[in-house]
């Protein structure tokens, strides 16, 4: 196949950036029901963009939650079928006062696009679409068969996705999945992601009475819901960050010497992150390095806690309700269902007095690892080495992409990662950004990868 697509991409970058801005302006926040219409608006936008690129059979499919967008091009007879995955939902933008600009009105500064979801992952979502457009516009065909699958619930744990995959596994059958929800390092240090941690999440609710009480009348007499919640949370970890839930570590697969060497290739990353974010010292299990703790050890974190009076000034009350949101990152071979059972047992054992504690919104997905000898992985590494002139390092991610383990379970397909995101681009945080140099570079990487995958 020719490389005329390269010229096409260069000539159309201004339009692609304008399209990225249009997508970034849609506040498709999946966690907040108030933005459900915006999530659907993003789905419609993505579907129209797939059609514009020349993708066929584009449709919006219902899930019971936020919708999914599907499209395909299946005319490469005898060639593999690649399912390209991404998501069009985004994280909330709060706290808004910490943004330097409107999070849903993108701006360019110093070659970077600043907006919510710029790096996670609306910039990445467009990469495979414009790559296929360029190939179809210049060669008239794609080198492999392509299916696109973009969801609207990734930022809330892909809650409807398992059932959706089960119901549509024939439609989505493929030889390989490529996730655009990722990054491949820099031109100077290219990387390929070969694993993500799993996740378990839940909300804890504590109730001690039917109403808040005057702290003068009830102080020393009535239980305080916030105190009870904090005590339960404090029972889950020791001062070094070790998780104290009985049995939590029982399924954890020990790291091999080779895995420790692979992780050590990125030992400089924790220091760079600490300086960028601004915390003073590392925290966690002292018997593991910061990088090992960051990608290969399980975690348990309080993501949010609330209760009592939150307004200006003071209000002398004893709160009757308190709540916390929890996530645990999981590693091989931890099972989310087993962790859920252990979590519930721990809370029950540490609930004292006549306090009502409930757990809700529990869900989770297993961790995922790409087999080290996977042929498609080696082809991706070859593409990145050819593009950059540098050897590629394999890297595990500390975050979670819930669908990777689902694709393996339901479709029997491995998942590669190809996106333009970089670690310092503030995903989920104020002033999130995305480098335009990555935006253009990884479009070309997609074209090269699709051509490479077509080879025997």
């Amino acid at each position: 196949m020719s490389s005329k697509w390269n010229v096409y991409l260069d000539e159309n970058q201004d339009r692609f950036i304008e399209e990225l801005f249009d997508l970034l302006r849609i506040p498709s926040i999946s966690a907040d029901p108030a933005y459900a219409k915006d999530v659907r608006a993003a789905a419609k936008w993505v579907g129209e963009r797939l059609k514009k690129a020349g993708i066929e059979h584009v449709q919006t499919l219902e899930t019971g939650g936020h919708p999914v967008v599907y499209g395909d091009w299946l005319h490469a007879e005898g060639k593999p079928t690649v399912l390209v995955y991404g998501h069009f939902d985004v994280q909330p933008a709060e706290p808004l006062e910490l943004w330097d600009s409107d999070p849903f009105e993108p701006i360019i500064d110093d070659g970077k696009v600043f907006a919510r979801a710029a790096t996670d992952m609306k910039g990445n979502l467009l990469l495979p679409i414009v790559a296929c457009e360029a190939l179809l516009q210049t060669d008239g065909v794609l080198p492999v068969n392509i299916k696109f699958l973009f969801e609207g619930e990734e930022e809330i744990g892909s809650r409807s996705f398992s059932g959706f995959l089960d119901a549509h596994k024939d439609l989505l059958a493929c030889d390989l999945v490529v996730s655009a929800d990722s990054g491949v390092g820099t031109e100077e240090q290219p990387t390929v992601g070969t694993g993500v941690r799993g996740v378990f999440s839940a909300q804890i609710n504590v109730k001690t009475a039917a109403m808040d009480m005057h702290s003068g009348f009830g102080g020393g007499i009535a239980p305080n819901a916030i105190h009870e919640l904090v005590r339960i949370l404090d029972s889950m970890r020791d001062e070094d960050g070790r998780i104290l839930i009985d049995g939590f570590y029982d399924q954890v697969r020990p790291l091999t010497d080779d895995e420790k060497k692979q992780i050590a290739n990125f030992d400089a990353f924790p220091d760079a992150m600490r300086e960028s974010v601004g915390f003073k010292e590392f925290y966690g299990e002292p018997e593991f390095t910061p990088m090992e703790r960051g990608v290969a050890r399980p975690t348990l974190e309080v993501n949010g806690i609330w209760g009592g009076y939150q307004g200006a000034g003071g209000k002398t009350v004893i709160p009757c309700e308190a709540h916390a949101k929890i996530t645990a990152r999981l590693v091989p071979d931890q099972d989310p269902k087993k962790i859920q059972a252990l979590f519930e047992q721990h809370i029950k054992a540490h609930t004292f007095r006549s306090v009502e504690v409930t757990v809700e919104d529990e869900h989770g997905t297993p961790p995922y690892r790409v087999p080290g000898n996977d042929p498609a992985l080696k082809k991706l590494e070859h593409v990145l080495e050819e593009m950059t002139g540098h050897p590629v390092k394999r890297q595990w991610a500390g975050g979670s992409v819930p669908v990777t383990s689902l694709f393996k379970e339901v479709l029997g397909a491995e998942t590669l990662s190809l996106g333009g995101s970089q670690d310092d681009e503030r995903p989920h945080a104020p002033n999130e950004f995305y480098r335009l140099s990555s935006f253009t570079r990884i479009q070309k990487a997609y074209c090269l990868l699709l051509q490479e995958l077509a080879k025997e």
Side-chain angles (χ1 to χ4, degrees):
M1 301 188 80
S2 73
S3 60
K4 294 179 181 178
W5 53 262
N6 210 335
V7 176
Y8 183 91
L9 290 174
D10 289 340
E11 291 178 345
N12 286 275
Q13 281 308 304
D14 288 345
R15 171 167 64 87
F16 299 153
I17 293 171
E18 289 176 6
E19 291 171 338
L20 172 59
F21 273 40
D22 288 342
L23 181 57
L24 289 169
R25 290 188 180 103
I26 304 173
S28 47
I29 303 168
S30 54
D32 189 341
Y35 291 89
K37 290 183 179 179
D38 296 294
V39 177
R40 286 193 171 272
K44 180 179 179 181
W45 191 97
V46 171
E48 292 301 317
R49 187 61 186 85
L50 285 171
K51 294 176 185 177
K52 183 177 179 180
I55 303 304
E56 302 169 343
H57 308 121
V58 175
Q59 53 189 310
T60 299
L61 301 171
E62 298 302 325
T63 68
H66 296 300
V68 161
V69 176
Y70 172 86
D72 61 39
W73 189 95
L74 304 175
H75 304 291
E77 186 175 352
K79 298 299 182 181
T81 298
V82 178
L83 176 67
V84 176
Y85 165 81
H87 65 92
F88 48 82
D89 66 316
V90 309
Q91 285 277 326
E94 286 80 3
L96 298 176
E97 65 273 12
L98 296 184
W99 285 80
D100 294 334
S101 58
D102 186 333
F104 293 106
E105 187 51 56
I107 63 169
I108 296 177
D109 184 22
D110 192 28
K112 304 170 184 175
V113 177
F114 287 83
R116 170 53 84 232
T119 190
D120 186 17
M121 62 152 284
K122 287 181 175 177
N124 288 342
L125 182 150
L126 277 173
L127 300 174
I129 299 177
V130 301
C132 287
E133 176 184 314
L135 288 165
L136 287 169
Q137 287 294 321
T138 55
D139 294 333
V141 295
L142 297 179
V144 295
N145 299 295
I146 289 286
K147 295 179 180 181
F148 284 95
L149 182 64
F150 295 115
E151 68 158 318
E153 292 189 344
E154 195 278 340
E155 297 293 4
I156 53 173
S158 300
R159 299 176 186 179
S160 305
F161 209 69
S162 177
F164 175 83
L165 282 182
D166 283 332
H168 296 84
K169 56 186 176 183
D170 291 338
L171 175 69
L172 303 174
C174 62
D175 300 295
L176 174 72
V177 178
V178 176
S179 171
D181 190 11
S182 62
V184 288
T186 65
E187 285 193 83
E188 297 74 24
Q189 189 179 61
T191 63
V192 293
T194 56
V196 292
R197 290 192 283 196
V199 66
F200 165 74
S201 62
Q203 179 172 311
I204 305 174
N205 307 305
V206 174
K207 186 172 183 179
T208 55
M211 65 186 69
D212 291 349
M213 292 186 65
H214 189 297
S215 65
F217 297 157
I221 299 173
N224 183 308
I226 294 178
H227 283 298
E228 296 298 321
L229 175 61
V230 169
R231 184 183 50 72
I232 292 171
L233 296 175
D234 188 55
S235 73
M236 294 182 180
R237 300 200 315 187
D238 69 12
E239 60 184 11
D240 286 324
R242 296 184 187 87
I243 298 162
L244 301 178
I245 296 174
D246 287 343
F248 187 88
Y249 294 107
D250 287 355
Q251 295 177 298
V252 174
R253 184 195 307 170
L255 290 172
T256 66
D257 290 340
D258 286 344
E259 288 171 340
K260 289 183 178 181
K261 290 177 182 177
Q262 175 185 320
I263 294 169
N265 284 327
F266 301 93
D267 274 349
F269 170 72
D271 285 308
M273 181 185 68
R274 179 176 56 80
E275 293 177 7
S276 173
V277 175
F279 63 91
K280 295 182 179 180
E281 60 181 312
F282 293 117
Y283 175 81
E285 301 168 288
E287 59 268 39
F288 297 92
T289 69
M291 194 63 195
E292 287 171 348
R293 300 197 297 264
V295 300
R297 292 294 294 168
T299 70
L300 191 148
E301 301 290 347
V302 180
N303 308 123
I305 184 168
W306 68 100
Y309 179 64
Q310 305 291 319
K315 183 180 182 184
T316 54
V317 295
I318 298 176
C320 69
E321 292 189 15
H323 313 269
K325 291 184 181 293
I326 304 289
T327 52
R329 301 287 176 174
L330 310 179
V331 299
D333 295 303
Q334 288 181 300
D335 178 358
K337 293 182 179 178
K338 175 67 172 177
I339 296 301
Q340 176 179 336
L342 296 174
F343 181 74
E344 292 174 353
Q345 290 169 14
H346 181 91
I347 290 174
K348 184 177 181 179
H350 289 79
T351 298
F352 303 145
R353 297 178 280 274
S354 55
V355 175
E356 178 185 334
V357 180
T358 58
V359 183
E360 65 179 6
D361 204 20
E362 295 175 282
H363 59 280
T365 54
Y368 174 74
R369 295 282 186 266
V370 183
N373 60 352
D374 185 80
L377 173 61
K378 294 179 180 179
K379 290 184 177 184
L380 174 58
E381 290 174 329
H382 174 72
V383 165
L384 295 176
E385 287 175 357
E386 289 291 309
M387 285 187 67
T388 65
H390 296 284
V392 176
K393 295 181 179 180
R394 295 181 177 184
Q395 182 179 24
W396 291 345
S400 305
V401 182
V403 296
T404 51
S405 57
L406 291 174
F407 286 137
K408 178 65 174 178
E409 176 186 349
V410 178
L411 302 181
E414 305 294 352
T415 301
L416 299 185
S417 297
L418 180 58
S421 299
Q422 296 187 29
D423 293 327
D424 65 345
E425 292 178 336
R426 304 178 65 87
H428 297 198
N431 299 316
E432 178 180 355
F433 68 92
Y434 188 59
R435 290 174 172 85
L436 288 176
S437 58
S438 299
F439 185 62
T440 56
R441 179 168 60 96
I442 306 304
Q443 293 168 21
K444 298 176 181 179
Y446 263 100
C447 291
L448 291 170
L449 177 62
L450 296 181
Q451 291 180 334
E452 192 70 21
L453 291 173
K455 299 177 182 177
E456 295 296 334

